[in-house]
Amino acid sequence: MDKISVLGLILGLSAIVLGHWLEGGQIGSLVQFTAFFIVIGGTMGAVMVQTEMRHFVVGLKMLRWIFLPPVMDFRKILATLMNWGNQARRGGLLALEAYLTSEKDPFVKRGLTMVVDGAEPEMVRRALELDIDAYEDQARAAAKVWESAGGYSPTFGILGAVLGLIHVMENLTDPSKLGAGIAVAFVATIYGVGAANLFFLPVANKLKHYIMLEVRRREMVAEGLVTIANGENPRLLENKLAGFLHH
């Protein structure tokens, strides 16, 4: 569990709600289903118009990373590659075939398969680099779902405010309906700006961070497998990959 994400959301929401209460407002006045529907529904609709279905779905699935981030232990990866390098030096590249069945990561398995099959090191590098580029492009497109939502939601907040004011103008002769219309108008703006700056944009930026780490992980694996394919000394492998531990 990413505790800082949970604490950040709680702190942000608490600051808004308690600030409103300290100013003398009623907390219940911040709960407006109509405003919520206009802002969130409109924002998601605009994002769906802009985004390909596959990227939209992946973007929704990536949301779990905010609370359950992917585990990337770079030291463990280095230890695994060092072990493979030592095995290859002693028993040849075919000695690594035993690790193929237990490897769960499709990217690692693809690279290791090429190494075991005796592919040229530069061919291995090129194939894995293309894989990394494709992953990064698709992952960033998926993360942009949330970035785009952060751009659209304030506008829909303003739209909700305008709709609320239209409702107010239509009922100037009935004072009992004025309060509800004004509440929707101002709360919609709060929802739009608040959702963008407290949720959508922070989510997009954190997803970009995890994507960057995943790209680094894959680059580390690719560099390690190419080094093993070249038959280089495992100590050299350790020195080459040590820089990845600082990211």
Side-chain angles (χ1 to χ4, degrees):
M1 176 68 71
D2 189 345
K3 294 180 180 178
I4 194 169
S5 293
V6 177
L7 290 175
L9 282 173
I10 293 174
L11 177 60
L13 289 172
S14 298
I16 295 171
V17 174
L18 290 178
H20 175 69
W21 179 73
L22 290 173
E23 287 290 333
Q26 297 294 322
I27 294 178
S29 64
L30 293 177
V31 181
Q32 296 287 342
F33 175 76
T34 303
F36 180 85
F37 181 74
I38 291 171
V39 173
I40 302 303
T43 298
M44 288 296 102
V47 171
M48 292 172 72
V49 171
Q50 172 184 299
T51 311
E52 290 185 32
M53 177 59 76
R54 59 195 177 101
H55 293 151
F56 184 79
V57 172
V58 174
L60 294 180
K61 290 180 178 179
M62 287 171 65
L63 181 61
R64 70 179 185 275
W65 288 4
I66 304 303
F67 305 104
L68 297 172
V71 178
M72 283 174 273
D73 189 339
F74 285 84
R75 293 190 179 278
K76 183 178 180 181
I77 296 168
L78 177 59
T80 299
L81 291 170
M82 287 286 295
N83 178 50
W84 290 352
N86 286 321
Q87 294 290 337
R89 290 276 288 186
R90 288 196 296 265
L93 296 176
L94 286 176
L96 302 178
E97 189 172 11
Y99 297 99
L100 286 174
T101 55
S102 59
E103 183 55 54
K104 304 298 183 184
D105 188 321
F107 175 79
V108 178
K109 191 167 187 175
R110 181 188 178 196
L112 187 59
T113 300
M114 293 182 69
V115 171
V116 170
D117 290 343
E120 291 293 325
E122 283 307 309
M123 183 181 294
V124 175
R125 182 188 299 278
R126 181 60 179 159
L128 295 182
E129 285 178 348
L130 288 173
D131 196 306
I132 292 171
D133 290 343
Y135 166 79
E136 186 172 12
D137 288 344
Q138 293 177 12
R140 288 191 177 277
K144 196 172 181 181
V145 166
W146 300 104
E147 186 175 20
S148 299
Y152 290 128
S153 66
T155 304
F156 279 98
I158 295 172
L159 179 60
V162 172
L163 292 174
L165 292 176
I166 290 173
H167 181 67
V168 170
M169 299 301 291
E170 290 175 343
N171 293 279
L172 285 178
T173 57
D174 187 354
S176 64
K177 295 184 179 180
L178 296 182
I182 293 173
V184 170
F186 287 102
V187 172
T189 305
I190 293 173
Y191 283 178
V193 176
N197 292 281
L198 184 58
F199 189 74
F200 293 140
L201 294 177
V203 164
N205 288 328
K206 189 157 241 184
L207 290 180
K208 289 179 184 178
H209 171 70
Y210 288 134
I211 291 167
M212 181 271 291
L213 288 180
E214 175 62 16
V215 169
R216 290 287 186 185
R217 183 190 74 85
R218 293 183 181 221
E219 289 175 346
M220 182 180 186
V221 171
E223 188 63 38
L225 290 175
V226 169
T227 302
I228 293 172
N230 275 322
E232 297 179 26
N233 192 300
R235 288 188 177 275
L236 179 60
L237 170 65
E238 184 176 16
N239 291 333
K240 290 174 69 174
L241 301 183
F244 287 96
L245 301 180
H246 303 298
H247 293 289

